[in-house]
Amino acid sequence: MTICRGARFFAALAAVVCLTACSGADAGGARASDERWPQWDETAGAAEVSAFMKVAVPEGATGVEGAVQVNPREDVYLLSFVTSEENAEGIAEDLRSEEPLEDRKVDLAPQGERFGHLGLPEPESLEGTRWVGVCPPCVGDERRSKMQWIEVYVQAVAEGRTRVYLQAF
């Protein structure tokens, strides 16, 4: 009888261990599928992004939007506004790119939802968008030494008005 009682005890213990392990696996599975990254910094807006990028939003610009996407390795800063074509060109030139704004073919899928978070279409998906990117440290732009990459997209939206999309990390 002691053998039976001992066997029942070990069977019960094995069941408890199995149930605990299974429930632990479920909890671990939930953690593993927890989509904590990327996150959006709900306290950061256009002013914070503009200050980080060292880009002044032109006076009279409309539709000014900004956000910071927090990631484990590097945060992504987004800024967008509508301004004159002349201002948009000036902002692109101020990045000190070795290349001018150029037409961007719509053949690449956007890198996930970024500007969509601001209620805007992703600029890579828009026909007629012009683009330039630059590595600030590579061109000796001390103002933007905290950034590894910044890019600007410009999209004509109305007569003489252009939406500027800036993205930096």
Side-chain angles (χ1 to χ4, degrees):
M1 187 75 80
T2 17
I3 295 175
C4 253
R5 232 183 308 174
R8 277 191 237 159
F9 171 76
F10 285 114
L13 181 62
V16 168
V17 168
C18 182
L19 288 173
T20 304
C22 292
S23 66
D26 287 338
R31 279 193 299 274
S33 66
D34 182 10
E35 301 282 335
R36 296 184 326 167
W37 304 106
Q39 298 176 6
W40 293 98
D41 180 346
E42 299 301 328
T43 65
E48 291 80 8
V49 174
S50 175
F52 174 80
M53 289 183 180
K54 307 289 192 259
V55 171
V57 175
E59 192 172 315
T62 59
V64 180
E65 300 285 345
V68 177
Q69 185 185 59
V70 180
N71 292 287
R73 291 189 181 187
E74 59 193 1
D75 297 340
V76 177
Y77 294 78
L78 305 174
L79 181 65
S80 184
F81 49 86
V82 177
T83 188
S84 69
E85 176 70 25
E86 183 180 335
N87 285 341
E89 295 279 344
I91 290 166
E93 287 174 21
D94 185 55
L95 296 179
R96 299 182 182 170
S97 172
E98 296 171 353
E99 303 293 325
L101 281 167
E102 60 184 32
D103 289 335
R104 181 94 178 201
K105 291 175 85 176
V106 181
D107 60 352
L108 299 174
Q111 305 169 0
E113 181 194 66
R114 294 216 171 131
F115 287 96
H117 177 75
L118 301 174
L120 300 168
E122 301 301 326
E124 305 96 321
S125 68
L126 300 171
E127 285 290 333
T129 300
R130 295 181 299 145
W131 170 89
V132 69
V134 66
C135 163
C138 301
V139 297
D141 188 351
E142 315 77 43
R143 300 167 300 162
R144 298 184 179 101
S145 61
K146 292 182 181 179
M147 285 177 260
Q148 295 186 30
W149 184 255
I150 187 169
E151 52 192 32
V152 61
Y153 296 85
V154 297
Q155 171 71 34
V157 292
E159 187 66 35
R161 301 297 284 171
T162 300
R163 176 163 290 282
V164 175
Y165 296 86
L166 291 153
Q167 176 173 268
F169 54 87

